[in-house]
Amino acid sequence: MTTGQADTFATHRSLRPLPDQILILDHGSQYTQLIARRVRELNVYCEIHPFSKAAELAADPAIKGIILSGSPFSVYDPGAPDTDISGFQGRVPVLAVCYGAQLLAKRAGGEVVKSTVREYGRAYLDNIHIPGPLFAGIHPGTQVWMSHGDSITAPAGAMQVVASTHAVPVAAYQLEGEPTYAVQFHPEVYHTTDGLHLLKNFVLGICGCAADWTPASFVESTVEGLRKQLGQDHVVLALSGGVDSSVAAILLQRAIGDRLHCIFVDNGLLRKDEFAQVLESYRHMGLNIAGIDARDRFYAALKGLEDPEAKRKAIGRTFIEVFDVEAHRISNVKWLGQGTIYPDVIESVSVNGPSVTIKSHHNVGGLPERMKLRVVEPLRLLFKDEVRRVGKELGLDPALLGRHPFPGPGLGIRILGEVTPEKVALLQEVDAIWIGELRAAGLYDQVWQAGAILLPVRSVGVMGDERTYENAVALRAVTSTDGMTADWCHLPYEVLARISNAIINRVKGVNRVVYDISSKPPATIEWE
């Protein structure tokens, strides 16, 4: 994390939207972000921090309760997280999930053993021994999702068994005399039928949080906070045409008006006609924006490059050079605005220690230091779906608000192999038909992200009475919530057939279309 990014992180903590907060201490579970999403569905603000930060956060009066996440570790592994919650325990409510439950049980003297068979999958709470307050309104027989290698087999000391299954005698417990609860299952996952109800009981009932962290309250408090943070300073922001940068721009504009200077760079790797269309949309929104045509410069930087990482670096380096020149034409700029969102912040922080990496496609590495600017990130508290809800609250153009995510390197990573202007033009035509037909079929909004990929292969075909030997393209469409996992879209065969025919008939140079049916994981959404 750069000095500017560290500064802005501290600033955003001081400008938190509401006083009530749930703290989630992360032990490395794959489900940790899902816990946060579920808490926020209850309109309660929460933050995720590494378990190692517990002691330094204990004095924060805004924290009304804490949740300990699961972990890939066993409590008996060398180096397993040993979270110090002494500053919280007994003072604010605690909910320990899976590994967290096993850790507290072990400390209380309970019997925690390594399972002979990893318990993973559906289970049912056959007995709810103490129905309230954690299980208020939840009835025996409810389905839960187990995913653990250690098992709590017997309580001890202050542990009171709250619920059990036929295979797990201590599926949930409470520490007597304090509001500390623990569950061996995962309430945050979809397969735990009453999981959100349980979290609601904890967050709203036991912790007493007010359910008033809404898009409207976020907009009001963020704009007020940005005014205090930025004063009379000027901010420069790179717009991409995507939801994140667009919502960040509107929040900044509401705070400082024309002292926000937006730059939209045409890198030659955008969708067909996208530069002109998006630039016009931004001008209708009243943004102070400059459009820069830098296509030839990007094509020159990509000449001869085939390796995906080399292409990404060339695109990123060229963007920095172009943006730096244009930004220096503006006087009195002291801040760089960025559309960083909360998953980027979380992923940049190691569970075992300090920040290690910032994702390059959301944070343009090198710019703050090169331009001697501080970083302002209005969306760093939000998940992607929350950004869309805030954008709707701000009145963002629905066409921009509903746009699919588009990678920073654009078509540069959807052309496998060397990028040339001719290949870009061909792929733009294919992509325009693909996206246009999804819209025409009423399927665009059901797809989280769609794109076309130009493959580095040619195939034999027949057009008319002649043999052809031309390009093959792959179509990709996925469903997802935030891109962390994704499934391929099960589109109707007749729609895919119509799209394939349209591409082959209308795009010269393509004679074969394939559809990607890979999910993430193990595949990624993009091919490069």
Side-chain angles (χ1 to χ4, degrees):
M1 185 181 288
T2 67
T3 301
Q5 287 158 344
D7 286 347
T8 196
F9 181 74
T11 301
H12 271 282
R13 284 190 58 77
S14 68
L15 296 173
R16 260 200 305 266
L18 286 174
D20 287 1
Q21 177 191 347
I22 295 296
L23 170 65
I24 300 170
L25 293 174
D26 184 20
H27 299 118
S29 169
Q30 62 179 321
Y31 299 131
T32 301
Q33 288 197 34
L34 192 51
I35 300 174
R37 297 178 67 84
R38 292 289 180 259
V39 172
R40 291 182 178 202
E41 283 179 31
L42 300 170
N43 291 332
V44 174
Y45 180 61
C46 66
E47 286 185 5
I48 298 172
H49 287 275
F51 72 91
S52 56
K53 301 292 184 183
E56 66 186 73
L57 293 169
D60 190 338
I63 295 172
K64 304 301 180 185
I66 67 170
I67 299 176
L68 307 182
S69 84
S71 175
F73 285 96
S74 160
V75 292
Y76 296 108
D77 286 345
D82 188 19
T83 310
D84 177 11
I85 60 168
S86 57
F88 293 104
Q89 200 167 349
R91 183 173 64 83
V92 300
V94 176
L95 176 63
V97 174
C98 198
Y99 174 88
Q102 293 147 12
L103 178 65
L104 296 190
K106 181 170 175 279
R107 286 182 182 165
E111 188 174 279
V112 182
V113 300
K114 287 200 172 188
S115 303
T116 54
V117 178
R118 181 177 174 85
E119 292 173 310
Y120 182 86
R122 291 175 180 85
Y124 300 89
L125 296 184
D126 299 323
N127 295 293
I128 297 177
H129 308 284
I130 304 175
L134 188 65
F135 284 86
I138 301 174
H139 303 290
T142 187
Q143 177 179 288
V144 297
W145 188 261
M146 296 286 185
S147 179
H148 57 94
D150 290 341
S151 290
I152 305 167
T153 55
M159 293 173 63
Q160 292 181 308
V161 177
V162 172
S164 57
T165 75
H166 75 282
V168 180
V170 188
Y173 66 87
Q174 180 183 358
L175 294 184
E176 190 175 3
E178 62 181 78
T180 297
Y181 301 84
V183 294
Q184 280 213 89
F185 56 88
H186 287 272
E188 69 273 22
V189 304
Y190 171 79
H191 296 294
T192 296
T193 309
D194 291 312
L196 185 60
H197 189 122
L198 184 146
L199 289 172
K200 181 178 180 181
N201 286 343
F202 178 72
V203 171
L204 302 186
I206 296 170
C207 298
C209 291
D212 53 5
W213 196 69
T214 63
S217 69
F218 176 84
V219 169
E220 180 181 358
S221 60
T222 299
V223 170
E224 180 184 352
L226 288 169
R227 285 177 181 146
K228 293 177 181 176
Q229 182 182 8
L230 302 173
Q232 296 301 307
D233 293 345
H234 288 243
V235 177
V236 63
L237 171 73
L239 283 172
S240 66
V243 175
D244 298 342
S245 67
S246 301
V247 174
I250 298 210
L251 286 168
L252 284 163
Q253 182 200 41
R254 287 204 177 181
I256 63 173
D258 282 349
R259 284 182 283 116
L260 170 67
H261 306 269
C262 300
I263 297 175
F264 184 31
V265 176
D266 185 356
N267 59 9
L269 305 169
L270 303 174
R271 288 182 153 131
K272 183 180 179 182
D273 300 327
E274 185 174 31
F275 182 66
Q277 291 170 358
V278 173
L279 194 61
E280 188 62 21
S281 296
Y282 282 141
R283 284 175 175 151
H284 279 306
M285 290 158 57
L287 290 175
N288 179 17
I289 184 168
I292 310 300
D293 182 351
R295 289 174 292 179
D296 292 341
R297 188 161 180 174
F298 281 87
Y299 292 150
L302 288 165
K303 187 174 179 61
L305 300 181
E306 295 186 0
D307 177 74
E309 190 59 25
K311 291 193 294 183
R312 285 179 179 273
K313 287 180 178 178
I315 293 167
R317 181 175 60 251
T318 306
F319 178 84
I320 288 174
E321 293 167 355
V322 171
F323 188 87
D324 190 24
V325 169
E326 297 304 322
H328 274 97
R329 300 182 195 276
I330 306 166
S331 302
N332 302 317
V333 171
K334 294 184 180 180
W335 297 83
L336 173 69
Q338 293 197 138
T340 310
I341 61 176
Y342 199 43
D344 306 316
V345 177
I346 298 166
E347 289 168 13
S348 73
V349 179
S350 167
V351 170
N352 292 300
S355 172
V356 289
T357 299
I358 297 293
K359 292 171 67 177
S360 60
H361 64 283
H362 275 284
N363 299 277
V364 184
L367 270 175
E369 293 82 0
R370 179 177 180 141
M371 299 173 65
K372 297 182 174 59
L373 298 179
R374 299 180 70 190
V375 178
V376 56
E377 298 167 317
L379 306 178
R380 63 180 294 113
L381 302 178
L382 302 183
F383 288 100
K384 174 70 83 172
D385 54 330
E386 294 173 322
V387 174
R388 293 186 190 278
R389 291 200 291 272
V390 168
K392 184 176 181 180
E393 178 70 26
L394 289 165
L396 189 67
D397 182 345
L400 272 176
L401 194 59
R403 289 185 73 219
H404 290 173
F406 190 65
L411 300 182
I413 58 168
R414 291 182 178 174
I415 295 170
L416 306 193
E418 184 181 7
V419 177
T420 66
E422 294 75 22
K423 290 180 181 178
V424 171
L426 184 149
L427 188 56
Q428 283 177 331
E429 294 298 327
V430 172
D431 182 82
I433 293 171
W434 174 217
I435 299 301
E437 290 289 343
L438 285 176
R439 290 188 186 278
L443 296 169
Y444 182 84
D445 292 335
Q446 298 178 33
V447 175
W448 191 76
Q449 182 172 336
I453 299 93
L454 180 60
L455 304 179
V457 297
R458 298 171 73 190
S459 70
V460 173
V462 177
M463 290 187 178
D465 294 324
E466 296 184 357
R467 173 186 182 276
T468 62
Y469 188 55
E470 295 180 336
N471 296 287
V473 296
L475 304 181
R476 182 79 158 134
V478 300
T479 57
S480 183
T481 301
D482 52 22
M484 295 179 65
T485 60
D487 193 14
W488 61 278
C489 287
H490 296 242
L491 299 176
Y493 292 145
E494 59 272 19
V495 173
L496 290 172
R498 183 167 65 247
I499 293 170
S500 175
N501 288 337
I503 291 171
I504 292 171
N505 290 335
R506 289 159 52 187
V507 182
K508 186 176 180 179
V510 175
N511 70 353
R512 190 174 300 271
V513 175
V514 299
Y515 186 54
D516 183 348
I517 59 169
S518 309
S519 296
K520 175 187 179 181
T524 53
I525 295 176
E526 298 294 341
W527 280 43
E528 288 193 339

